[in-house]
Amino acid sequence: MDLLTIRAHFSAKNQIDKKIKQRIECMVFAALAGIAVGRWTIVSRAANALPTASLTTLERLTQQEPYNRRAFYYLGLRWQERGDYPRSDAALEHAATLDSDDAQVWLAWAAERTDANQNDGAIRILAPFAAQHPTNAAAHLALARLYHRTQAYKPACAEAESAVRSQPDLAEAWQLLGKDAESIQDYVGAEKALRKTRTLKPLEAADAFDLGQFLVRRERAPEAVPFFQEAVRLAPDLPASHLALGEALLQTAHTPADFAAARDSLQRSAKLRPGHPQTCLALGDSYLRQGRWQDALTALHPLQELQIDGIDRRVRATYLRAQAYQGLGNLTAAAQQLLQHQKWSQVQQEKAAWFDRIQQNHADPAPRRQLARLCVRCGDYAEADALYRKLLEYAPTYQAAQQELADLEAAHPLAGRAFAAAPAHLAIRSASGRVEEGDRLRIAGHGPEAKAAYLDALAQDGHSARACQGIGLLLEAQGDVENAFAYLQQAVSLDPALPLAQRTLAKLYLQAGFPNEAQRRLMRSVADAPEDAAGWYDLGLVARSAAHDPSQSEAAFQHAVTLVPTNARYLLDWADALTETHRDVEAESAYRRALAADPQSADTQSRLGAFLLDYRSAGQHPAARQEEAERLLRSALARDGISAFTRYHLARLERRQGHTKEAITLLQAALKQRPDMVAGWYELAQTLQHEGRSSEAHASLQRSEQLQKAYAEYTRIVGLIALSPKRADLRLLLARQNTLRGENAHALNQYQVCLQLDPQNHAAQTEMAALTARLKTQGHLPNMGLYNAMVNSFSTRSRSFSPPNAAHSD
């Protein structure tokens, strides 16, 4: 062979050897890969088999692999399913020690302690884990649930807040935060959380219901109504929603139509849940408030055949029946019901005493057992069931309680579920619990029982601001304004952040002629309760009286409308304020929204009609607006024939149409009702002049000018007093002006100040004596003690209610 041939031979052989080597390498790699995949799938199959592995398999595996965290985790779950909590606890604890960051293991370990009725142990497990993992929303939520279960509401709120900070869309955490924030009286935070829950779960009827219930407890029933209506829409077969809607409507009912609407919802609830005690009580109350005594007894009649669950309900039922019989003149039956009422009230007091002992020592099982036995004797099986269960959380080995609970559930197997489904009973009878009971009774219209509850709370805690507030609200509703003012003033001196007390004080100040002080109170009220639409509305009314800048009242009304967009009253006053700030297009829109919200309201029709007379629209012909205005005003007059406002504006319309005689008749009727209407006298003068009745027109014009001059003089004197408050002559002039204006309390106060500055002023002495005698004869002498207490309260900002030595110009 030559050299080239030899080289070619060896080259071909090398290529063959190379291919063989590559094939061998591929075969080895495939074999190794197969072994690796096999081993990996074995591990994967083993891990996937753990959730369904038997107890025996898991025990064997944990012995073979003591560091297999997942095996110990599932072993703990198996023992937990069998109710062997000690072994479950040991397995889960070992799993947790193997991995301090596995939230699933730690949560399961805490849940095992909870199942074993060891809430404190569960908290000790979760608290450090949650602290080390601040962004783990599930851990914070679980810890919040535990705190809630043990009634540690403040830390429950803190953990729920941590959960929503980490996961803002965690609806359950917001819901828990809402409930617990209310328990610690953080009402602003509670409302915010409940509204957030509602936003996250808009199709959940329960969340709408919870928010409505919260607003009712905050005495904001009108705002609660839309949420109850939404709950009814989302779940029309739930009787509790219909009942809550009916009770909310009943709280604010005034007209026959209001009562009919409330009863419609209550009767729907009654059809879904016949004979339910709470529904019967509400229906009976609705008839009583209208004086329909026999209808009330008919509504209450089913309660005679049913076992009424709850001592509080028995107290109320006997009280309502006594009122109905008294209204019918059946004094014998009324007396019998009052005896029953007294009996159940005594049981209620005994129950309250046991609650107080429970509050003094939560861990003592004896008071809970005695209270549970009392509830069993009275037929309150659901509440007894809950009390026994709570007792056994504190004393799980209490055999007597275990046996009594077993006997109760054997005789009444639905007791536990009934208690969970029923409206919450009053579970706390401490001072705060008595205040809550007083609030409930006051809202339900049971004044004497409410006052007794508030006084009991004050006997336990003399610094209870909420008890003072409750008595003040009760007395104000009963017309005892002087004592109401004293209690309300004491309430806000103890706790200024009481929006309802501040609102009611503002109302009293406004009625007494002190709009600036009323405005100050309401500013504090809305600062403490920014979601309280009624507070913003009241602020708008007061700002309109106190301030010279109409934009202040307009802003307050707008805030109220933003919070409750369908309230016709809020919309109307907002529209009026918009006209004062010359925002006519927005004003018309607000008026029309009010009409859409309450199309049958005479006031709404009248005010929109008056607006259409004076303000033109680019999109509507003047004749069409005048026709609409006339239709609205005549409809309003037909519905409310005594409105001076409606008559005045309808008279203007008649005069435009050339019907001067009809206009004169309407104006004279309006001025008879409102003789201080400057515009009415001027309009009458112009109309009489057109009829050729010059002397009458001149007299009407003079009356209009006199009223204008009197107002100008009053304003001038007030301005001079602001510059020279110690001039007795100016005080005398102001007293006379106040007398002319019918502001008798102001007048008497200014006479007093004049005499303090100038004791020898005979004119002041004579005029004051004459005014006092005249008012006494007429029965209109104002309460000067109350007036002076008001002046003193905002002049000195003290807690004293002694009469002042100096007057105040608001």
Side-chain angles (χ1 to χ4, degrees):
M1 291 186 185
D2 58 15
L3 183 60
L4 290 175
T5 305
I6 293 171
R7 286 180 175 175
H9 173 74
F10 279 107
S11 175
K13 184 178 180 182
N14 287 338
Q15 288 180 359
I16 292 170
D17 292 342
K18 187 175 181 181
K19 289 181 179 179
I20 293 171
K21 182 178 180 181
Q22 288 176 345
R23 288 179 182 177
I24 293 171
E25 288 176 349
C26 288
M27 292 172 65
V28 171
F29 176 78
L32 291 174
I35 293 171
V37 169
R39 288 186 176 181
W40 180 82
T41 55
I42 289 172
V43 174
S44 176
R45 287 196 300 273
N48 290 334
L50 287 177
T52 58
S54 68
L55 180 62
T56 304
T57 301
L58 289 169
E59 284 186 312
R60 184 174 61 252
L61 184 60
T62 53
Q63 291 172 1
Q64 295 171 353
E65 301 178 17
Y67 297 104
N68 189 331
R69 167 178 49 84
R70 304 307 294 168
F72 278 99
Y73 166 71
Y74 285 110
L75 178 60
L77 295 185
R78 288 296 173 277
W79 284 122
Q80 185 180 359
E81 290 170 359
R82 296 194 174 197
D84 192 334
Y85 295 114
R87 292 186 183 182
S88 173
D89 186 79
L92 291 169
E93 182 177 9
H94 189 75
T97 58
L98 292 173
D99 189 345
S100 61
D101 295 322
D102 191 331
Q104 187 180 29
V105 171
W106 286 81
L107 289 169
W109 185 17
E112 176 272 324
R113 288 284 179 94
T114 304
D115 285 350
N117 288 322
Q118 297 179 20
N119 291 321
D120 292 340
I123 290 172
R124 285 195 296 272
I125 290 169
L126 270 185
F129 180 83
Q132 293 170 10
H133 300 81
T135 60
N136 191 305
H140 288 291
L141 175 58
L143 189 53
R145 289 196 205 101
L146 284 167
Y147 282 129
H148 175 82
R149 179 176 293 191
T150 57
Q151 299 179 0
Y153 299 120
K154 193 168 184 178
C157 285
E159 293 303 326
E161 286 173 347
S162 297
V164 297
R165 274 197 301 271
S166 301
Q167 189 175 337
D169 61 347
L170 191 56
E172 186 183 352
W174 283 109
Q175 184 181 44
L176 198 61
L177 178 58
K179 294 178 180 179
D180 290 332
E182 184 181 7
S183 297
I184 62 173
Q185 299 180 19
D186 176 12
Y187 301 121
V188 174
E191 182 170 354
K192 176 183 175 183
L194 291 171
R195 289 184 182 275
K196 181 67 175 180
T197 307
R198 182 83 190 100
T199 303
L200 292 171
K201 298 194 294 180
L203 299 180
E204 285 289 337
D207 295 318
F209 180 83
D210 287 345
L211 182 52
Q213 291 285 59
F214 169 82
L215 292 169
V216 167
R217 290 191 293 272
R218 303 312 315 142
E219 300 193 8
R220 293 158 59 185
E223 297 172 57
V225 167
F227 294 105
F228 290 138
Q229 290 172 332
E230 185 67 4
V232 166
R233 184 185 69 80
L234 292 170
D237 295 332
L238 289 180
S241 299
H242 292 284
L243 172 59
L245 175 58
E247 289 184 315
L249 291 170
L250 186 59
Q251 284 187 30
T252 55
H254 296 291
T255 67
D258 294 339
F259 284 103
R263 272 195 291 272
D264 180 65
S265 292
L266 293 172
Q267 286 162 352
R268 289 175 188 270
S269 177
K271 287 180 181 178
L272 293 168
R273 187 168 48 180
H276 186 260
Q278 189 70 16
T279 308
C280 295
L281 290 169
L283 281 168
D285 194 18
S286 73
Y287 288 119
L288 279 175
R289 288 176 56 187
Q290 289 187 286
R292 297 169 60 177
W293 316 116
Q294 189 57 56
D295 289 334
L297 285 176
T298 302
L300 295 168
H301 181 71
L303 300 182
Q304 295 175 349
E305 288 80 38
L306 292 171
Q307 176 63 53
I308 304 177
D309 183 25
I311 294 170
D312 297 326
R313 286 175 176 166
R314 293 191 188 94
V315 170
R316 188 180 177 202
T318 52
Y319 183 81
L320 292 176
R321 283 202 204 98
Q323 282 188 309
Y325 280 123
Q326 189 171 14
L328 289 170
N330 189 343
L331 301 183
T332 301
Q336 291 172 348
Q337 289 300 313
L338 284 174
L339 285 173
Q340 288 295 312
H341 176 70
Q342 184 178 10
K343 168 193 168 184
W344 289 117
S345 295
Q346 289 173 350
V347 175
Q348 190 180 48
Q349 292 172 8
E350 182 183 353
K351 187 177 175 185
W354 286 118
F355 270 117
D356 288 340
R357 289 189 59 183
I358 290 170
Q359 288 301 110
Q360 292 166 12
N361 187 355
H362 280 283
D364 184 3
R368 289 186 193 275
R369 183 188 177 201
Q370 293 301 325
L371 181 56
R373 296 173 77 178
L374 173 64
C375 290
V376 171
R377 290 197 302 273
C378 295
D380 293 346
Y381 305 120
E383 190 166 1
D385 185 281
L387 286 163
Y388 277 124
R389 289 175 180 276
K390 193 67 179 178
L391 182 159
L392 291 171
E393 285 185 21
Y394 288 105
T397 60
Y398 197 159
Q399 293 183 355
Q402 291 174 346
Q403 185 60 50
E404 289 170 11
L405 175 60
D407 293 342
L408 170 64
E409 294 190 337
H412 306 281
L414 298 180
R417 278 182 286 169
F419 184 77
H425 296 293
L426 292 169
I428 301 175
R429 299 304 172 138
S430 59
S432 62
R434 292 293 280 162
V435 169
E436 291 179 9
E437 182 179 10
D439 290 342
R440 180 180 63 81
L441 290 166
R442 175 174 54 80
I443 294 169
H446 308 313
E449 293 92 338
K451 188 174 182 181
Y454 290 133
L455 290 174
D456 186 21
L458 283 174
Q460 298 179 56
D461 179 7
H463 298 283
S464 173
R466 291 179 59 226
C468 291
Q469 172 184 260
I471 296 180
L473 296 173
L474 179 64
L475 293 174
E476 190 274 333
Q478 293 174 346
D480 187 355
V481 179
E482 184 172 4
N483 286 320
F485 176 81
Y487 274 107
L488 291 169
Q489 187 66 20
Q490 182 67 7
V492 298
S493 69
L494 291 167
D495 182 4
L498 289 174
L500 192 56
Q502 294 284 19
R503 275 175 49 197
T504 309
L505 280 171
K507 172 185 173 183
L508 297 179
Y509 277 114
L510 187 63
Q511 289 173 347
F514 298 116
N516 288 333
E517 179 62 14
Q519 185 174 13
R520 188 186 75 82
R521 300 279 179 175
L522 286 168
M523 290 293 287
R524 177 61 198 252
S525 172
V526 297
D528 292 326
E531 301 296 326
D532 182 6
W536 285 104
Y537 174 73
D538 288 347
L539 178 58
L541 293 176
V542 170
R544 186 162 61 189
S545 302
H548 299 293
D549 181 4
S551 63
Q552 294 181 9
S553 60
E554 187 273 320
F557 287 136
Q558 184 178 14
H559 209 118
V561 168
T562 302
L563 292 168
V564 187
T566 58
N567 187 301
R569 188 158 46 101
Y570 296 176
L571 286 162
L572 281 176
D573 284 317
W574 181 39
D576 288 349
L578 287 168
T579 61
E580 293 181 24
T581 55
H582 309 293
R583 294 160 64 184
D584 302 337
V585 175
E586 295 171 75
E588 182 168 352
S589 173
Y591 280 125
R592 293 195 181 280
R593 284 173 59 188
L595 186 65
D598 190 0
Q600 306 303 319
S601 166
D603 187 37
T604 306
Q605 294 174 343
S606 178
R607 286 157 81 170
L608 175 56
F611 175 85
L612 294 174
L613 284 180
D614 294 320
Y615 297 93
R616 295 186 177 183
S617 170
Q620 190 176 17
H621 193 275
R625 289 176 75 81
Q626 185 165 303
E627 288 176 6
E628 184 181 6
E630 181 175 6
R631 185 177 68 254
L632 288 167
L633 288 168
R634 293 197 184 281
S635 176
L637 190 63
R639 294 178 182 278
D640 179 10
I642 61 171
S643 170
F645 179 88
T646 304
R647 284 172 168 164
Y648 166 72
H649 287 289
L650 192 55
R652 294 176 56 218
L653 181 63
E654 294 281 15
R655 185 178 169 221
R656 285 186 187 181
Q657 297 174 342
H659 307 148
T660 52
K661 291 182 180 179
E662 290 84 350
I664 290 170
T665 301
L666 287 166
L667 286 168
Q668 288 173 336
L671 290 168
K672 185 176 181 180
Q673 186 179 350
R674 285 285 307 278
D676 60 341
M677 190 190 296
V678 176
W681 287 108
Y682 182 81
E683 185 75 19
L684 180 59
Q686 297 296 314
T687 311
L688 288 168
Q689 187 65 41
H690 187 272
E691 279 285 292
R693 298 159 64 175
S694 300
S695 59
E696 295 176 76
H698 180 68
S700 296
L701 188 60
Q702 279 189 320
R703 180 60 177 154
S704 174
E705 291 173 350
Q706 286 171 358
L707 289 170
Q708 293 182 62
K709 287 178 181 178
Y711 180 76
E713 178 66 6
Y714 173 81
T715 305
R716 183 185 72 84
I717 294 169
V718 170
L720 291 173
I721 288 176
L723 297 173
S724 306
K726 295 189 179 297
R727 282 184 56 180
D729 60 326
L730 292 176
R731 296 289 183 172
L732 178 58
L733 289 174
L734 184 56
R736 290 169 176 168
Q737 286 292 324
N738 285 327
T739 302
L740 291 173
R741 293 161 62 90
E743 297 176 357
N744 299 318
H746 281 307
L748 290 171
N749 175 259
Q750 292 303 308
Y751 278 126
Q752 290 173 352
V753 177
C754 174
L755 290 170
Q756 177 193 344
L757 297 170
D758 181 9
Q760 304 304 317
N761 192 315
H762 297 295
Q765 292 173 349
T766 304
E767 292 174 18
M768 180 178 173
L771 176 60
T772 303
R774 175 168 62 82
L775 293 173
K776 277 185 177 179
T777 302
Q778 296 172 346
H780 295 156
L781 185 65
N783 188 334
M784 294 307 296
L786 172 64
Y787 184 93
N788 291 331
M790 287 183 171
V791 173
N792 186 56
S793 69
F794 64 81
S795 295
T796 63
R797 301 285 183 242
S798 73
R799 297 184 184 182
S800 169
F801 296 106
S802 58
N805 292 321
H808 178 82
S809 177
D810 190 46

